[in-house]
Amino acid sequence: MRPRQYDLIAFDWDGTLFDSTAIIVRSIQAAVRDVGGTVPSDGAASYVIGMGLMQALAHAAPDVPPALYPQLGARYRHHYSLHQHDISLFAGVLPMLSDLRSRHHWLTVATGKSRRGLDEALHAVELQGMFDGSRTADETAGKPSPLMLEQLMREFGVDPSRTLMVGDTTHDLQMAVNAGCASVGVSYGAHEPDAFADLSPQFVAHSVRDLHDWLLANA
């Protein structure tokens, strides 16, 4: 086994560990429709996954006036809540996280979800205690600002050179670049992997098994 290269591994949540991309896209589209905006395409709705909620909705629905943002956010949360118990971790995530814990990495989450949303998801999939720390978009700056990663690195006393970000969107990988950290992209989430090249990820995984194997061999 190679010596550990990264002390801190930060995972995005939706589309990286949690199989929620399709439901998020449909919830965004339904929320925009409810407030009378132009319904975004699947591609436009999936592009904003990973951003903070209101930043994402404003980007996906540019013709919706700011005065309607609170209603837009409420409608998104309504539609998402109808299906949140229908989604789960990608197969293979729990064994991967367990193997990484056995190697004594700090495991964290850096997500565009709200604190409430992440805590509910962690409870729903019985992951309490699996992660050592987390940051959400409503308690710090949204992606691609580096603040989430910077706060996690400070919390655990880890340098950027010893930190790895894993995510499924260009927002995740750009956040890593902005924080001076290495990254790994996954192609099975919200963004097409062709967009990752300019952000120089160490690897692009095409399945959780692919990601698991790479992390054990290289992280």
Side-chain angles (χ1 to χ4, degrees):
M1 184 179 295
R2 291 180 52 182
R4 191 176 64 201
Q5 181 171 351
Y6 300 107
D7 299 316
L8 173 65
I9 303 177
F11 291 93
D12 171 59
W13 187 257
D14 290 304
T16 301
L17 300 180
F18 209 48
D19 189 7
S20 49
T21 299
I23 285 175
I24 292 173
V25 166
R26 291 199 294 271
S27 298
I28 290 172
Q29 292 169 329
V32 175
R33 184 182 298 111
D34 287 351
V35 301
T38 301
V39 176
S41 66
D42 288 356
S46 64
Y47 175 78
V48 303
I49 293 175
M51 298 178 179
L53 177 59
M54 294 318 303
Q55 176 190 8
L57 293 174
H59 193 285
D63 62 334
V64 173
L68 291 180
Y69 286 177
Q71 183 182 350
L72 183 60
R75 295 310 298 167
Y76 170 81
R77 287 186 285 269
H78 166 75
H79 288 291
Y80 184 84
S81 70
L82 296 178
H83 300 284
Q84 64 180 341
H85 300 302
D86 302 335
I87 51 184
S88 62
L89 292 169
F90 286 107
V93 163
L94 282 175
M96 176 183 70
L97 295 175
S98 295
D99 280 352
L100 293 171
R101 284 197 69 83
S102 73
R103 294 183 56 173
H104 307 293
H105 297 278
W106 295 115
L107 300 183
T108 65
V109 175
T111 177
K113 297 181 82 65
S114 67
R115 170 53 59 189
R116 177 181 176 182
L118 178 62
D119 287 348
E120 287 177 350
L122 289 172
H123 177 74
V125 294
E126 299 180 343
L127 274 172
Q128 300 97 325
M130 182 65 76
F131 295 100
D132 301 293
S134 60
R135 288 295 186 280
T136 60
D138 61 337
E139 61 190 11
T140 183
K143 302 170 185 177
S145 166
L147 190 56
M148 284 188 198
L149 287 178
E150 290 171 347
Q151 290 182 349
L152 288 168
M153 288 187 288
R154 282 198 299 271
E155 180 177 342
F156 293 99
V158 178
D159 292 334
S161 63
R162 302 287 296 179
T163 300
L164 180 70
M165 177 68 204
V166 181
D168 68 311
T169 71
T170 55
H171 313 307
D172 298 312
L173 305 191
Q174 185 64 60
M175 178 173 66
V177 170
N178 294 345
C181 302
S183 68
V184 166
V186 304
S187 68
Y188 50 81
H191 286 191
E192 292 296 325
D194 292 348
F196 295 166
D198 290 344
L199 299 170
S200 303
Q202 300 294 301
F203 180 66
V204 176
H206 299 296
S207 66
V208 174
R209 180 73 256 177
D210 207 14
L211 177 62
H212 188 166
D213 291 344
W214 188 90
L215 290 171
L216 289 186
N218 298 279

